[in-house]
Amino acid sequence: MPIVNMKDMLQHAYEHGYAVGAFDLVSLDFLQGIVDAAERAQAPVILSLAESHFEAFDFALLMPAVEAAAKRASVPVAIHLDHGASFESAVNAINLGCNAVMVDASDKPLQDNITITRTLTEMAHDCGIPVEGELGYVPGVEGEDAERHPGEICYTTVAEAQTYVQSTGVDFLAVSIGTVHGRMQGKPELDYQRLRQINEALGMPLVIHGGTGLSDDQFQQLIANGASKINYYTALSDAAAKQILHNTSTSASSGYTGLVKDLRDAISTETERCIRLWGAAGRAEEVLARCRPWTLVEHLIVYNVEGLDTASAKKMIAEGRRVLSTIPGVREVFTGEAMKEDDKYRYTWLVRFCHPKVIDSYREHPAHVAFADNHFRPVAGERMSIDYIEITN
Ligand code: 13P
């Protein structure tokens, strides 16, 4: 059950002066290691999937495991798309189960970043999904994440941050105040004064990208100045790589399972260290009490078809399945035929929405309107439609 609304989760962190870790995961070992750590620490956690890592795994295949891990966790979990590349990426992520999204347009000029992010926010909010925007640019210096974030640092300014948040409606703002993606070279100078001023001006949860390599003291200062979500990846990747190298030297002949032995624990140990350092340990219960649970809606239609033979009816149904499943917030479209011929209704649509808000945005979506008006309603005879909200407790 404990998939929760990330806006509620981060608002709690913001108000209580701690940060939730958003740990990028690239495999089942990462997923299990991160959730194990959150369970041991009894902490809220964000399972983060970065589009910049999608060459390393099949996002659509991994997401059901991420969702299953989140659902069976006893601690509150949010599932986030990190560094999405496009609007389409965000729709795909939402439809696969992410309940918070970021599309990274931070390398674009301010006005373009605003336009891209505002379009995203409108769509996502219509699905009940909170949005992270990034303003200013956090580059990479060294390590696998560095090449995914080329270029020079561009600091976030207070004035631009105000304009950006007002114009886009983002729920959380990722800022550039001196951190870098990937490994550090030396100790980075962080501009706490800039962070404090942004925090005073905005009064909303701020996000720090490039958590790897910062000192304990730097984390404390960031959190004291409004950082409520810290993104973290390279150090987990390095802990995993170190474990594999160790396994290679001690059990080189033991095959795959021998080489990945204890990987999950290595990832988990580093994750837990961060969770405790950032003040999230022991918060699970109060966060759960504060967060709206994440509840799906099942949009049920049972109907008969008039004036079409069975083959044509099935063609119409297949087209509907294809079109409707692309609408933002649609998790699944099940189409079915009654197993007994004399049942009152012969066909069904079971359209699963990620959030109750999708009931309205789906109804009004041009793809739904076009399909319903041109293909479905003209042939739909007697029918009944009900929206069911999931019962979770
Ligand atoms: P690090 O790899 O530096 O920890 O940064 C991760 C990150 O910011 C992902 O968005």
Side-chain angles (χ1 to χ4, degrees), residues 72-153:
R72 78 176 185 193
S74 70
V75 295
V77 180
I79 306 173
H80 181 61
L81 173 71
D82 188 24
H83 294 293
S86 64
F87 179 88
E88 291 72 27
S89 306
V91 173
N92 183 45
I94 291 169
N95 290 6
L96 287 172
C98 286
N99 72 341
V101 290
M102 172 206 199
V103 167
D104 184 359
S106 63
D107 58 342
K108 308 262 187 309
L110 176 65
Q111 201 47 54
D112 293 355
N113 188 354
I114 287 177
T115 307
I116 291 168
T117 309
R118 184 171 47 219
T119 311
L120 169 75
T121 307
E122 282 165 4
M123 177 278 292
H125 284 178
D126 276 350
C127 298
I129 302 272
V131 173
E132 173 182 331
E134 179 166 330
L135 181 68
Y137 184 69
V138 178
V141 173
E142 190 197 307
E144 58 180 294
D145 248 13
E147 62 217 45
R148 300 182 180 114
H149 302 278
E152 292 299 309
I153 188 165

Side-chain angles (χ1 to χ4, degrees), residues 24 82-83 145 180-182 208-212 231-235:
D24 279 336
D82 188 24
H83 294 293
D145 248 13
V180 294
H181 284 105
I208 296 295
H209 282 245
T212 293
N231 287 19
Y232 205 74
Y233 170 68
T234 303

Side-chain angles (χ1 to χ4, degrees), residues 61-389:
L61 273 185
L62 192 54
M63 275 305 290
V66 172
E67 197 177 10
K71 277 188 174 159
R72 78 176 185 193
S74 70
V75 295
V77 180
I79 306 173
H80 181 61
L81 173 71
D82 188 24
H83 294 293
S86 64
F87 179 88
E88 291 72 27
S89 306
V91 173
N92 183 45
I94 291 169
N95 290 6
L96 287 172
C98 286
N99 72 341
V101 290
M102 172 206 199
V103 167
D104 184 359
S106 63
D107 58 342
K108 308 262 187 309
L110 176 65
Q111 201 47 54
D112 293 355
N113 188 354
I114 287 177
T115 307
I116 291 168
T117 309
R118 184 171 47 219
T119 311
L120 169 75
T121 307
E122 282 165 4
M123 177 278 292
H125 284 178
D126 276 350
C127 298
I129 302 272
V131 173
E132 173 182 331
E134 179 166 330
L135 181 68
Y137 184 69
V138 178
V141 173
E142 190 197 307
E144 58 180 294
D145 248 13
E147 62 217 45
R148 300 182 180 114
H149 302 278
E152 292 299 309
I153 188 165
C154 171
Y155 288 87
T156 311
T157 70
V158 177
E160 286 187 351
Q162 279 175 311
T163 307
Y164 180 82
V165 169
Q166 269 166 15
S167 315
T168 60
V170 292
D171 302 279
F172 329 107
L173 182 69
V175 293
S176 175
I177 50 98
T179 60
V180 294
H181 284 105
R183 285 182 212 114
M184 302 286 174
Q185 281 170 357
K187 193 176 175 203
E189 288 287 312
L190 302 187
D191 192 341
Y192 301 118
Q193 195 188 344
R194 183 182 294 267
L195 184 63
R196 181 163 56 249
Q197 286 168 351
I198 296 170
N199 185 30
E200 279 165 9
L202 299 180
M204 69 193 289
L206 301 176
V207 180
I208 296 295
H209 282 245
T212 293
L214 299 177
S215 68
D216 294 7
D217 175 60
Q218 286 176 316
F219 281 126
Q220 311 296 2
Q221 300 262 24
L222 290 170
I223 294 166
N225 288 296
S228 308
K229 170 176 180 275
I230 296 176
N231 287 19
Y232 205 74
Y233 170 68
T234 303
L236 301 187
S237 170
D238 286 349
K242 196 169 155 205
Q243 185 63 40
I244 292 172
L245 289 173
H246 171 78
N247 292 343
T248 309
S249 63
T250 53
S251 48
S253 61
S254 59
Y256 174 78
T257 53
L259 293 184
V260 297
K261 187 168 163 301
D262 299 332
L263 215 59
R264 174 175 167 180
D265 288 346
I267 293 163
S268 198
T269 302
E270 175 59 9
T271 305
E272 187 178 351
R273 183 186 76 82
C274 293
I275 287 175
R276 293 192 184 281
L277 182 60
W278 302 340
R283 301 276 188 178
E285 212 171 305
E286 53 188 294
V287 172
L288 266 182
R290 163 73 182 266
C291 291
R292 286 164 283 179
W294 196 255
T295 43
L296 302 170
V297 166
E298 203 74 63
H299 175 63
L300 164 88
I301 301 178
V302 283
Y303 63 104
N304 291 315
V305 168
E306 285 168 358
L308 277 189
D309 60 26
T310 304
S312 304
K314 290 204 172 152
K315 226 170 130 193
M316 177 274 290
I317 288 166
E319 173 63 4
R321 210 169 44 230
R322 188 187 67 74
V323 169
L324 301 176
S325 53
T326 63
I327 295 175
V330 172
R331 296 292 317 276
E332 196 180 338
V333 180
F334 173 90
T335 51
E337 182 178 16
M339 295 188 71
K340 282 196 270 152
E341 283 213 5
D342 58 352
D343 271 333
K344 183 161 185 222
Y345 296 103
R346 183 138 185 77
Y347 297 108
T348 187
W349 303 101
L350 272 166
V351 188
R352 179 166 293 179
F353 298 151
C354 72
H355 188 277
K357 278 201 139 193
V358 183
I359 296 170
D360 291 335
S361 56
Y362 172 85
R363 191 189 310 111
E364 288 154 22
H365 193 278
H368 173 257
V369 172
F371 175 74
D373 286 354
N374 301 330
H375 299 283
F376 180 62
R377 289 191 185 120
V379 298
E382 201 181 344
R383 64 182 188 271
M384 194 175 72
S385 162
I386 303 178
D387 293 307
Y388 289 98
I389 190 155

